[in-house]
Amino acid sequence: MKLNKVDSLKGEITVPGDKSISHRAVMFGSLANGETVIRNFLMGADCLSTVSCFRKMGVAIEVGDEQVTVQGKGIDGLKEPEEVLDTGNSGTTTRLILGILAGLPFHTVLTGDESIAKRPMARVTEPLRQMGAKIEGRANGQFTPLSLRGGDLKGISYHSPMSSAQVKSSILLAGLLAKGETTSVTEPEKSRDHTERMLKAFGADLEEDGLAVSIKGGQSLTGIEIHVPGDISSAAFFLAAGAIVPDSIITLKNVGMNPTRTGMIEVLQAMGADLEIRYDEASLQAEPMADLTIKTSSLKGIDISGDLIPRLIDEIPIIALMATQAEGTTVIRNAEELKVKETNRIDTVVNELKKLGADIEPADDGMIIRGKSRLSGPASVKSHGDHRIGMMLAVASCITEGGLTLLESEAVNVSYPDFFHHLQQLSK
Ligand code: SPQ
């Protein structure tokens, strides 16, 4: 895809539904008794992989234009699939479904795409084995394909070595399906808490105590209606674009503002961005929402590390681009988890932005970016099949002299199928 520099970005858009919340709504709706209606569901490839996996286990799921309806028949309503469950490119589907399959008394085989095959699964298969799940797989269950025989789980008290919502959620879901005992997960820093919030909304009793979350096994869930807020991780691309493209003003409607996800907002504020936040008072219950307006800004470099990292982990590629346009140095630390995403996002961000002339170097657990650089092409850059890298490079094209050619641009369909359409709409 050929992408050119733009003069300005102006207008209002509504970003698609939150990916993390859309996945969980289908999963919990499939485990629940009764109907679950999911509005503003993200029709991205990842969430559709989740739908396909649960359909293969016999759950009736109707996918409408922007609404998904799940006819849950309770945990016993799930059946042994006749086919392999394919989780596509989705780490969330793969790791969360493992927690559910661990608690179900039948056999399943799970696989995904080339990128999923490289992502570490021992972080969930190990604790799930401790709970009693029988898991076989490549390299002793470290990688897909994996096969499971679940059921008869016992509760555990698990201290996760990493702050990961996928690890936490996988173990809590297995804990929910365990027999009567309590399962608790403690993480080093708080990761996104959509599972905790949504399980409560489905009627589960769950306790949170600082960095620990506990759930009692054997509880049943009841179907609900869910309105999925806009994905702040998708909004992040246009927040950054609005800040770095000259003469711009962009409004983003109904963006999810769960405090475990708003690290990007804090970074924009610390860098000096001209950002206005208007909370939707009616939404301040399960998952808060706000309208955001960003204008072209003079940015300054900052340090990003510690407990902020899990709250903006998926935004680091676009933050790195923003940092190339900030005065001074931006240092990102404690973000080693970037190495095990859809790509090694330290390497892909550094290598692709260097092609445009950015002053950026990798670190063991992050990167160092010196601004302000003039990005110039024409250059050929590549998403490497990683949606967030693809969208970051498309935003980079807006300020790149001579424009760029983006290879593997279709990767954006994983989380934001309308991305290029929205970019075009704002640049008119
Ligand atoms: O689902 P997937 O592929 O892991 O997606 C990513 C992304 O960029 O969209 C990460 F590559 O988001 C993860 C996120 O990094 C989604 C997620 C969730 O919904 O629970 C949690 C985070 O991952 P982790 O490993 O820190 O739990």
Side-chain angles (χ1 to χ4, degrees):
M1 183 179 281
K2 181 89 185 73
L3 294 163
N4 296 317
K5 191 174 171 205
V6 301
D7 295 332
S8 67
L9 292 172
K10 285 188 176 147
E12 181 179 292
I13 52 171
T14 304
V15 295
D18 187 276
K19 176 160 78 70
S20 296
I21 296 176
S22 297
H23 280 302
R24 286 159 172 81
V26 169
M27 293 182 181
F28 304 174
S30 297
L31 297 175
N33 292 299
E35 185 174 90
T36 290
V37 177
I38 312 162
R39 300 206 171 85
N40 199 37
F41 179 82
L42 169 63
M43 299 291 171
D46 269 16
C47 298
L48 294 173
S49 294
T50 294
V51 168
S52 137
C53 289
F54 282 89
R55 279 181 173 158
K56 285 182 182 170
M57 288 191 276
V59 184
I61 305 176
E62 193 190 299
V63 176
D65 272 354
E66 275 212 343
Q67 177 169 310
V68 167
T69 311
V70 184
Q71 303 298 342
K73 290 198 176 142
I75 289 155
D76 297 335
L78 291 157
K79 302 275 176 280
E80 186 170 69
E82 289 172 12
E83 295 167 70
V84 169
L85 302 183
D86 185 353
T87 60
N89 187 249
S90 174
T92 309
T93 312
T94 313
R95 298 201 179 107
L96 269 60
I97 213 171
L98 280 167
I100 294 172
L101 297 174
L104 298 172
F106 51 68
H107 174 255
T108 36
V109 181
L110 199 72
T111 196
D113 70 3
E114 250 175 69
S115 153
I116 281 295
K118 292 189 199 132
R119 296 180 68 180
M121 293 299 150
R123 55 180 59 199
V124 290
T125 54
E126 274 313 313
L128 293 174
R129 278 172 173 159
Q130 285 173 32
M131 295 177 80
K134 293 177 190 64
I135 306 177
E136 292 291 336
R138 193 161 55 91
N140 191 27
Q142 291 185 69
F143 300 106
T144 57
L146 294 163
S147 85
L148 286 89
R149 178 162 290 280
D152 278 333
L153 298 185
K154 62 174 196 303
I156 56 168
S157 172
Y158 189 68
H159 285 258
S160 174
M162 69 283 288
S163 304
S164 158
Q166 294 177 1
V167 171
K168 175 175 63 179
S169 304
S170 185
I171 299 167
L172 289 174
L173 288 166
L176 176 72
L177 304 187
K179 294 263 147 50
E181 295 170 57
T182 297
T183 291
S184 71
V185 184
T186 308
E187 52 185 346
E189 261 124 23
K190 186 83 180 161
S191 64
R192 64 191 68 188
D193 66 356
H194 305 299
T195 294
E196 294 91 308
R197 287 171 188 248
M198 203 187 288
L199 280 176
K200 284 183 191 161
F202 272 91
D205 190 9
L206 182 131
E207 264 178 44
E208 291 174 79
D209 181 10
L211 297 169
V213 189
S214 320
I215 193 162
K216 210 164 164 2
Q219 306 184 56
S220 56
L221 306 180
T222 308
I224 55 169
E225 287 193 16
I226 298 174
H227 181 89
V228 181
D231 197 326
I232 192 167
S233 298
S234 298
F237 295 99
F238 290 112
L239 290 171
I244 65 177
V245 174
D247 195 23
S248 295
I249 172 162
I250 303 175
T251 293
L252 301 157
K253 302 286 288 175
N254 303 333
V255 179
M257 293 289 279
N258 177 317
T260 61
R261 294 284 298 281
T262 48
M264 174 71 180
I265 303 290
E266 283 164 54
V267 162
L268 281 162
Q269 287 167 334
M271 291 179 99
D274 187 344
L275 173 71
E276 197 196 317
I277 306 172
R278 291 175 307 282
Y279 273 94
D280 170 359
E281 298 298 329
S283 76
L284 298 177
Q285 6 93 3
E287 291 282 354
M289 289 196 293
D291 293 344
L292 307 174
T293 299
I294 185 90
K295 293 185 190 149
T296 309
S297 309
S298 299
L299 302 176
K300 61 174 194 295
I302 57 167
D303 287 353
I304 303 171
S305 64
D307 62 6
L308 190 53
I309 296 294
R311 298 195 294 117
L312 50 65
I313 188 74
D314 297 338
E315 286 65 81
I316 292 178
I318 192 66
I319 289 172
L321 172 66
M322 236 172 30
T324 68
Q325 302 309 303
E327 290 298 341
T329 304
T330 295
V331 180
I332 302 171
R333 292 269 181 233
N334 311 128
E336 48 281 281
E337 278 291 306
L338 289 175
K339 294 180 184 168
V340 291
K341 299 296 181 187
E342 283 82 329
T343 55
N344 176 333
R345 287 182 179 160
I346 296 180
D347 290 352
T348 44
V349 167
V350 169
N351 295 339
E352 296 304 313
L353 284 179
K354 269 195 170 157
K355 290 182 188 167
L356 305 178
D359 184 347
I360 179 166
E361 57 180 277
D364 248 10
D365 61 348
M367 50 193 105
I368 300 160
I369 307 122
R370 289 178 200 87
K372 175 175 181 174
S373 316
R374 190 170 154 270
L375 302 187
S376 60
S380 177
V381 292
K382 192 168 163 177
S383 75
H384 298 268
D386 185 333
H387 53 133
R388 305 222 183 267
I389 302 298
M391 289 186 275
M392 179 275 283
L393 292 168
V395 174
S397 75
C398 297
I399 54 163
T400 300
E401 294 298 334
L404 50 81
T405 302
L406 174 60
L407 305 176
E408 299 180 14
S409 58
E410 66 286 354
V412 309
N413 291 331
V414 153
S415 63
Y416 199 160
D418 280 337
F419 175 77
F420 290 111
H421 172 68
H422 283 171
L423 186 59
Q424 203 183 20
Q425 191 183 316
L426 293 170
S427 60
K428 269 191 188 141

